[in-house]
Amino acid sequence: MSSIQLYLDFVSQESEVDQLIDRVVEVAGPPATRAVHTLDDDLASEVVNGMLAYDFIYDVMILDELGNVLADATKPRVKHPVGWLTEKVIADSKTYSAKLLLPGYEQETFGSIIFKVDLNAALSTFYQRSTLVVLSGMLRNILLVLLLFFAFYYLLARPLIQMSREFRSIRLDMPGAKRITVPHPDKNDELTQLALSSNHMLDAIEETFAKRLEIEQDLRDSEEAIRQIINELPAMVGVRHLDGRLEFANENMASFFGRDVDTISGLNVLDSHLIVDVESHELDGQSDRGNVVEGAFEGYFKGANGERRYLQGNVKPIVLHGETLLLMVMNDISERKETEEKMEYMAYHDALTNLPNRMHLVERLENEIRRARRHHYYGAVLFIDLDHFKNINDSLGHPVGDIVLKQVAQRLQHSVREEDLVARLSGDEFVVVLTVLDQELDMAGLKAGEVAEKIRKSISEPYPYDDITLHVSCSIGIVVYSDNESSVHELLRFADTAMYQVKAKGRNAIEFFNLGMADKVSHQLKLESELHKALKENQFELYFQPKVGVTSGRILGGEALLRWNHPERGMISPGEFIPVLEASGLMIEVGQWVIEEGCRTLSHLARAGLWEQGMRLSLNISPRQFRGQSFVENMARTLEETPIPPKSLELELTEGVVIQSVEETITIMTALSSMGIDFSLDDFGTGYSSISYLKRLPVTTLKIDYSFVRDIVEDRNDRVLVETIVTMGQLLDLLVVAEGVENEQQLDILAGFGCDCYQGYYFSRPVPLEEFKQLLRRDQSTEFAGQGGI
């Protein structure tokens, strides 16, 4: 209001100043006009000085019509007390001008008068009044403010300050301990309502706070119970964020990572230094279309002590405080995993050499065959068998043999590449799988042969043991894959067949499998199956070839020969099925049948009176049957079950069987000799003939091989050999029997050498039992006695 009053007063005062200026111009105008018109300098000076007489005019100037100064004057300005303020609010001076006109010449200007006004002087009265107004207004307002201050302080501010202090003094943990003082209990004003409402609110807060404390205590008790339960669990339990940072973990998990429950938070279980090898898709916290993957995981983790442990667990998403976290439950199954790995290793590896076994070999070879066919390259399978390895076991014992097998395994591994496979099948049999040899069959075969030769030379290197040096050679069969659709087992069989071809040719060499071998193998397998059936269905029978005295022409005994009467193919040559019996191991069962059937025949002939004293029936014994663990026991049981005439049974052995292990052979033959069994050395002169072992063996008969007798008439060398054998037999007091006598000339030469006995087509082919019985009857008749042939 004071400002409005001052403004209106200023406007009024300014109007008054303007009116005063107009009157000054009106008074000074005519004389100034005359002075300009008459160019009266004195008059002009009087007008100027007259105008300066006004205290608010300080500069005056009279100009003629051409703008020339006719008269001017200036006086100093009086310094006004409020000048410092008016300079900032309004201008402190103002310039006025007026045109000088003569009466009757209003359209023509004769000059002008210009003067400056000191507004501070012109408005001094206004400034005095304004100062009084402002000072009185300020005093009035101060008094009013003080009055209002005391009124509001006592009526409002002081009670509010009191309530504020009381609010600040309220304890947050005990909101109901204090109450707000009601300032005007006898009034129902706003302060009273505020105090009463605040007290009601404190009561409500107190009650709510008490309930909350009770709930919190229950929650703490429940949380502590749950924490104790989780900590007592044998499993590792933890809650982590999607990025792997742990939010919580029980004592087992914290201990595993080398922390405690209070410091485990924040540890990132996905750090590479903690995870060694995890087999899962869930542990990394990836999401699929916004849904967190959940499921099982397992793998190796590194514990606090740096030891690798195998953990198995599950991940499940949970929501806590609006955030999706992952609950992990893990168990340490390191011992079980180690046991499983050991069992798996044992299932796929050989216990002695630690090489892959047959199961591992089959699985790996199947994969290699598929890979070779897919990428169009060739590999090879090498079947390796150690030559005469049984001699080491028999002479030095199995522990020494095991040492040699381990060294062989090491040499095989050093002879091939890392990507190749070396496996042990059984005993002294090994298989090497050469992978990715070449895309050309010829080059693949050449490389396979080079590796095989390297293996053969490596195995042939000496094996030092104690004070002796052992030597072992090997036979290697090779088959190249995959130029056909052969299976794993067929490839192994083909390689095995090629290896046996090496054995048949003299051992310590390499042989590649070919289609001719495949046809032979297929035929042998079919024949082997039919031989099993023949044994069950009694398709075998014995044929008998008489042994005849060279000088007397009388039958001195016979040789029982195995024949197979096939129900569809008829009689099958022994040369066709005997090797299959030997290779398949079926010869042991068939050989036992031959012994039992031969004893039954001897018993039958003796009862029929056809077998005279001194006559002997020869039975051929295979090497595998003779070396069998129960051969002696089986012979004793057979002789007990089927009694035969004394010294009527003779077992024929080849020189190869005898020389293989002389001491063992002598032991077996001595045991059988005590049972009344004689022995004949078959095919004498074709193998390892040696007088040094011959005189140690309980042999009663030497048999000259038919290959010497066949050309005895034309070949002088054969005659010399036969004569030498006959002479040796006579010197050793052995009965000498010549095989394969087919004509009289051969018989005459043998008689001239002093040979004791012969057998062959000249007298009779091998015949069935009934025909053999007829020959015995005829031999006993006087008509048949002394005849030289049939």
Side-chain angles (χ1 to χ4, degrees), residues 602-712:
L602 273 176
S603 179
H604 169 71
L605 293 176
R607 290 195 303 271
L610 299 176
W611 202 259
E612 299 178 354
Q613 185 177 2
M615 297 176 63
R616 284 179 290 189
L617 179 66
S618 299
L619 301 178
N620 291 281
I621 303 299
S622 72
R624 183 172 295 186
Q625 182 182 9
F626 183 77
R627 300 293 179 190
Q629 295 181 353
S630 58
F631 178 62
V632 176
E633 290 78 3
N634 290 339
M635 284 296 305
R637 186 183 66 254
T638 301
L639 295 176
E640 182 179 354
E641 294 174 352
T642 308
I644 59 175
K647 308 294 286 185
S648 62
L649 181 62
E650 183 180 74
L651 301 183
E652 291 192 6
L653 302 176
T654 62
E655 287 187 88
V657 176
V658 174
I659 198 63
Q660 189 174 14
S661 180
V662 177
E663 298 302 328
E664 181 183 6
T665 300
I666 293 175
T667 301
I668 296 174
M669 293 176 68
T670 302
L672 296 175
S673 296
S674 63
M675 302 177 192
I677 298 175
D678 291 331
F679 291 93
S680 172
L681 197 57
D682 196 11
D683 302 336
F684 187 77
T686 61
Y688 309 91
S689 300
S690 173
I691 300 176
S692 62
Y693 74 77
L694 184 60
K695 62 183 181 179
R696 295 176 57 198
L697 298 173
V699 175
T700 58
T701 304
L702 290 181
K703 294 191 71 174
I704 304 174
D705 188 70
Y706 74 94
S707 61
F708 298 142
V709 177
R710 180 182 56 207
D711 300 323
I712 194 174

Side-chain angles (χ1 to χ4, degrees), residues 20-132:
L20 179 60
I21 295 299
D22 290 341
R23 286 196 300 270
V24 170
V25 173
E26 184 179 354
V27 172
T33 302
R34 285 194 304 271
V36 171
H37 183 68
T38 60
L39 300 176
D40 187 352
D41 294 336
D42 294 334
L43 179 60
S45 297
E46 290 180 0
V47 172
V48 170
N49 291 328
M51 291 182 69
L52 289 177
Y54 292 96
D55 57 354
F56 54 85
I57 297 175
Y58 67 90
D59 187 15
V60 180
M61 182 183 298
I62 298 176
L63 304 175
D64 59 14
E65 66 274 15
L66 296 177
N68 298 319
V69 177
L70 187 61
D72 64 340
T74 303
K75 69 177 181 179
R77 296 177 63 181
V78 179
K79 188 174 177 71
H80 199 274
V82 293
W84 62 272
L85 178 62
T86 57
E87 290 178 358
K88 301 181 182 299
V89 178
I90 59 175
D92 59 349
S93 65
K94 187 175 182 181
T95 302
Y96 291 88
S97 65
K99 296 178 180 181
L100 301 177
L101 301 175
L102 287 176
Y105 297 92
E106 287 80 1
Q107 302 300 323
E108 184 178 358
T109 302
F110 288 90
S112 62
I113 185 171
I114 300 173
F115 59 94
K116 294 181 179 179
V117 177
D118 186 352
L119 293 179
N120 289 333
L123 297 175
S124 60
T125 305
F126 165 74
Y127 291 148
Q128 292 174 0
R129 290 196 306 269
S130 298
T131 301
L132 182 59

Side-chain angles (χ1 to χ4, degrees), residues 260-433:
D260 53 43
V261 177
D262 297 329
T263 62
I264 190 68
S265 179
L267 177 68
N268 195 323
V269 296
L270 299 184
D271 283 349
S272 58
H273 70 280
L274 295 179
I275 298 178
V276 180
D277 181 19
V278 176
E279 303 171 359
S280 73
H281 301 286
E282 292 76 20
L283 190 63
D284 55 7
Q286 297 295 323
S287 60
D288 182 14
R289 297 182 181 178
N291 297 323
V292 178
V293 178
E294 61 180 290
F297 68 90
E298 60 181 43
Y300 285 100
F301 286 75
K302 188 179 292 184
N305 55 1
E307 182 182 3
R308 288 196 339 157
R309 304 297 294 174
Y310 196 86
L311 304 184
Q312 183 185 65
N314 281 272
V315 176
K316 183 177 180 61
I318 59 175
V319 178
L320 291 178
H321 308 298
E323 181 184 2
T324 300
L325 302 176
L326 296 179
L327 172 64
M328 296 193 308
V329 179
M330 303 187 297
N331 289 287
D332 187 348
I333 59 170
S334 301
E335 294 182 0
R336 189 181 78 185
K337 183 67 176 178
E338 183 179 354
T339 302
E340 291 175 355
E341 290 177 349
K342 287 182 179 179
M343 293 179 63
E344 182 179 0
Y345 185 86
M346 292 173 61
Y348 282 88
H349 290 79
D350 173 57
L352 176 64
T353 62
N354 288 326
L355 293 178
N357 58 13
R358 179 182 290 272
M359 185 182 301
H360 191 169
L361 169 66
V362 171
E363 292 186 5
R364 172 73 180 277
L365 187 53
E366 285 178 347
N367 294 332
E368 292 298 335
I369 292 174
R370 286 195 295 267
R371 192 157 67 106
R373 290 171 182 167
R374 184 166 59 250
H375 298 288
H376 306 291
Y377 63 77
Y378 292 92
V381 177
L382 280 59
F383 199 105
I384 304 167
D385 184 87
L386 303 183
D387 299 329
H388 302 301
F389 182 74
K390 187 175 182 299
N391 293 342
I392 295 179
N393 283 335
D394 293 343
S395 58
L396 300 176
H398 288 279
V400 178
D402 291 344
I403 294 175
V404 174
L405 289 176
K406 291 180 181 179
Q407 295 184 24
V408 169
Q410 294 175 356
R411 295 185 184 185
L412 288 175
Q413 289 177 310
H414 293 156
S415 300
V416 299
R417 304 165 298 178
E418 290 185 4
E419 59 267 27
D420 299 327
L421 175 69
V422 179
R424 182 191 181 201
L425 290 189
S426 62
D428 58 348
E429 294 180 341
F430 297 86
V431 171
V432 173
V433 179

Side-chain angles (χ1 to χ4, degrees), residues 192-213:
T192 301
Q193 293 178 3
L194 176 61
L196 293 175
S197 298
S198 299
N199 290 330
H200 290 312
M201 183 180 66
L202 291 174
D203 292 336
I205 293 175
E206 174 72 17
E207 183 179 357
T208 303
F209 190 71
K211 292 182 179 179
R212 179 181 175 182
L213 290 177

Side-chain angles (χ1 to χ4, degrees), residues 574-591:
E576 182 178 353
F577 71 85
I578 292 295
V580 178
L581 286 177
E582 289 282 3
S584 65
L586 193 60
M587 178 56 81
I588 295 178
E589 296 181 55
V590 175

Side-chain angles (χ1 to χ4, degrees), residues 758-771:
Y758 77 94
Q759 63 184 90
Y761 287 180
Y762 179 65
F763 186 85
S764 173
R765 293 173 175 269
V767 295
L769 178 59
E770 292 301 323
E771 294 186 27

